[in-house]
Amino acid sequence: KESERGVPLEYFTWERIVIDECHESLVTSSKQESKAEDFKQRARRGAREFLGVSNTDASTRPLLATTAIWGLTGTPLLETEARVTELANLMGGTYLTGSAHHWRKEERESGRDLFLNQQEAFKSREYRRAAQASCHTYVREACQRNRGEKLEVNLERKQKIINMTTSEGESFLSEISSLHLDNFTLKPDQLGEKVSNALTVTASSKARHAALSEILDDIHNEEPNTKIIIFANAFYTGYKSALSSLQSSKHNFCHISDHDSIKEQNEIISWFRHVDATEEDRRRPRILLLSFEQAAGHNLQEACHHVIMYDPMYSGVDAVADASVEEQALGRVMRQGQKYDVTVTRIIVRGPNGERCLDDYIVDRNLDEDILRAATSNFH
């Protein structure tokens, strides 16, 4: 109500401004962007405007601080040089070489300058890796303070390898037949625009359904009351496949629906944020399904130490961005405050006779040490 509104924060000059989850206000790639009408997307854009992220002159921002601006985040946020450019600007208007180009490009995203958009040269993987390495160095030396100590717990990475059925193999080959390819040992970049059709087949494999159920059973046989987080890729029906698998199983689970209110979404997440304290807590579901897009901003380390990646993150040719999304998801439980060793289990689908397929190449790419080092400043 109008009568309940307080004095606007912009009316004051503050001594210090502390921005919690500061990565949320930075630019995202179009692949990771949610719908414009989505609450989270509107809130992010509102935060950018309120904080004056694009104002290179800090004195002209809506919020002013006389001493310092602090940003808090435990999320890998440096998968692109664009994000570190904005971080540097937000934390005090620091000038970075190439920042003028960045702000021009952001203006072009409106679509008003189609000609200049077409003139953008594609940057090689080596160029992007070098730029991202420089970004990490800059933030580590110029921005980071009070960095968290190295985690005392261990991370175990497991793989559950299964074969697609014969009929699924036939569907896979049918999807790529126009490329005159008749085998399963393929890399995504060999398929071009057909990669989406092929990944849809592997993501929705019934073998993947069975593997998920087996993993859940194995974990709960050893730790009956433990809470488990499942992440799935929403781009190629992986999330829908995981949801369908859980709905047809005996497992009691929950997920975040687009139809849930913000209050309902926060309540569901809260069940996995804290250890059980009451009988009501103990009767709640032990399994939470999230898409990779829903991973950011949650602190689940107190109650969870098992993660399942239903299918690998793949959004295109940018391996660093995809690896960063996976590490961000894993970072929901692998973070300060975790008291137990963390286990992440990946489901990998191969050809009907065990042939290496798309999952193998994407997982190898996303776990490459150079890629991980470029994807997050927290990689050791």
Side-chain angles (χ1 to χ4, degrees), residues 274-287:
H274 305 294
V275 295
D276 297 335
T278 66
E279 282 301 320
E280 182 181 5
D281 291 340
R282 285 183 273 274
R283 288 194 296 269
R284 287 176 177 144
R286 305 283 97 186
I287 300 166

Side-chain angles (χ1 to χ4, degrees), residues 135-198:
C135 289
H136 291 308
T137 301
Y138 169 79
V139 169
R140 186 169 56 251
E141 300 299 330
C143 296
Q144 281 188 342
R145 300 292 185 274
N146 302 321
R147 179 174 175 173
E149 296 179 358
K150 185 177 180 180
L151 291 174
E152 297 298 325
V153 299
N154 297 315
L155 172 63
E156 182 180 7
R157 298 183 188 266
K158 294 182 176 180
Q159 294 183 350
K160 179 78 171 179
I161 299 175
I162 67 302
N163 299 341
M164 66 179 75
T165 65
T166 301
S167 61
E168 289 166 351
E170 292 173 352
S171 297
F172 182 92
L173 294 177
S174 174
E175 293 293 349
I176 63 173
S177 60
S178 61
L179 301 176
H180 306 293
L181 299 170
D182 60 355
N183 64 85
F184 298 93
T185 310
L186 300 167
K187 298 180 180 179
D189 53 8
Q190 292 178 259
L191 301 182
E193 62 183 18
K194 291 292 183 180
V195 70
S196 61
N197 296 345

Side-chain angles (χ1 to χ4, degrees), residues 40 44 54 71 143 148 160 171 196 219 262 285 291 318 328 353-354:
K40 182 177 179 180
R44 189 184 71 82
S54 62
C143 296
K160 179 78 171 179
S171 297
S196 61
I219 294 173
I262 298 300
S291 69
D318 196 337
Q328 176 175 273
N353 297 313

Side-chain angles (χ1 to χ4, degrees), residues 25-223:
S25 61
L26 303 180
V27 66
T28 62
S29 69
S30 58
K31 287 284 187 180
Q32 298 166 346
E33 190 111 340
S34 54
K35 296 178 181 178
E37 64 271 18
D38 179 73
F39 173 82
K40 182 177 179 180
Q41 182 58 20
R42 285 188 284 113
R44 189 184 71 82
R45 289 178 175 173
R48 288 174 62 82
E49 189 75 21
F50 187 55
L51 295 171
V53 173
S54 62
N55 291 30
T56 53
D57 182 357
S59 65
T60 64
R61 294 177 182 172
L63 285 183
L64 299 177
T66 58
T67 302
I69 299 175
W70 294 87
L72 306 178
T73 180
T75 299
L77 71 161
L78 302 179
E79 70 271 22
T80 66
E81 59 270 25
R83 283 170 74 81
V84 80
T85 296
E86 293 202 351
L87 178 68
N89 192 57
L90 179 61
M91 294 296 113
T94 308
Y95 174 78
L96 293 181
T97 301
S99 61
H101 166 79
H102 166 73
W103 299 119
R104 286 199 305 272
K105 184 177 185 299
E106 285 304 296
E107 176 64 20
R108 293 179 204 163
E109 296 303 329
S110 63
R112 292 193 293 267
D113 202 337
L114 298 179
F115 174 77
L116 285 178
N117 276 337
Q118 294 300 318
Q119 309 312 308
E120 287 289 332
F122 178 77
K123 296 175 181 177
S124 70
R125 175 175 167 179
E126 289 72 20
Y127 174 90
R128 296 197 309 273
R129 184 183 296 173
Q132 286 143 0
S134 297
C135 289
H136 291 308
T137 301
Y138 169 79
V139 169
R140 186 169 56 251
E141 300 299 330
C143 296
Q144 281 188 342
R145 300 292 185 274
N146 302 321
R147 179 174 175 173
E149 296 179 358
K150 185 177 180 180
L151 291 174
E152 297 298 325
V153 299
N154 297 315
L155 172 63
E156 182 180 7
R157 298 183 188 266
K158 294 182 176 180
Q159 294 183 350
K160 179 78 171 179
I161 299 175
I162 67 302
N163 299 341
M164 66 179 75
T165 65
T166 301
S167 61
E168 289 166 351
E170 292 173 352
S171 297
F172 182 92
L173 294 177
S174 174
E175 293 293 349
I176 63 173
S177 60
S178 61
L179 301 176
H180 306 293
L181 299 170
D182 60 355
N183 64 85
F184 298 93
T185 310
L186 300 167
K187 298 180 180 179
D189 53 8
Q190 292 178 259
L191 301 182
E193 62 183 18
K194 291 292 183 180
V195 70
S196 61
N197 296 345
L199 283 172
T200 298
V201 173
T202 61
S204 58
S205 170
K206 295 299 182 183
R208 203 183 290 273
H209 287 200
L212 177 61
S213 186
E214 288 178 18
I215 295 169
L216 292 171
D217 287 340
D218 289 344
I219 294 173
H220 278 150
N221 285 339
E222 291 189 11
E223 303 176 60

Side-chain angles (χ1 to χ4, degrees), residues 151-160 212 214-216 218-220 222-223 226-231 288 300-301 303-310 326-327 329-335 338-347 367:
L151 291 174
E152 297 298 325
V153 299
N154 297 315
L155 172 63
E156 182 180 7
R157 298 183 188 266
K158 294 182 176 180
Q159 294 183 350
K160 179 78 171 179
L212 177 61
E214 288 178 18
I215 295 169
L216 292 171
D218 289 344
I219 294 173
H220 278 150
E222 291 189 11
E223 303 176 60
T226 195
K227 298 178 182 180
I228 304 169
I229 312 298
I230 302 171
F231 290 106
L288 173 63
L300 309 176
Q301 71 276 18
C304 308
H305 61 276
H306 282 286
V307 173
I308 299 172
M309 292 196 179
Y310 185 76
E326 286 191 351
E327 290 302 296
L330 179 57
R332 300 310 94 208
V333 299
M334 191 67 181
R335 61 195 298 123
Q338 179 60 257
K339 298 178 180 178
Y340 301 96
D341 290 343
V342 174
T343 300
V344 55
T345 305
R346 293 174 178 271
I347 301 175
L367 292 180

Side-chain angles (χ1 to χ4, degrees), residues 310-372:
Y310 185 76
D311 58 337
M313 181 64 199
Y314 182 82
S315 61
V317 296
D318 196 337
V320 173
D322 291 341
S324 177
V325 170
E326 286 191 351
E327 290 302 296
Q328 176 175 273
L330 179 57
R332 300 310 94 208
V333 299
M334 191 67 181
R335 61 195 298 123
Q336 293 295 336
Q338 179 60 257
K339 298 178 180 178
Y340 301 96
D341 290 343
V342 174
T343 300
V344 55
T345 305
R346 293 174 178 271
I347 301 175
I348 296 179
V349 172
R350 289 183 172 174
N353 297 313
E355 302 95 334
R356 282 174 60 86
C357 200
L358 296 177
D359 277 15
D360 287 282
Y361 292 106
I362 296 172
V363 170
D364 288 347
R365 181 198 72 159
N366 290 357
L367 292 180
D368 178 82
E369 288 194 2
D370 289 337
I371 296 296
L372 286 174

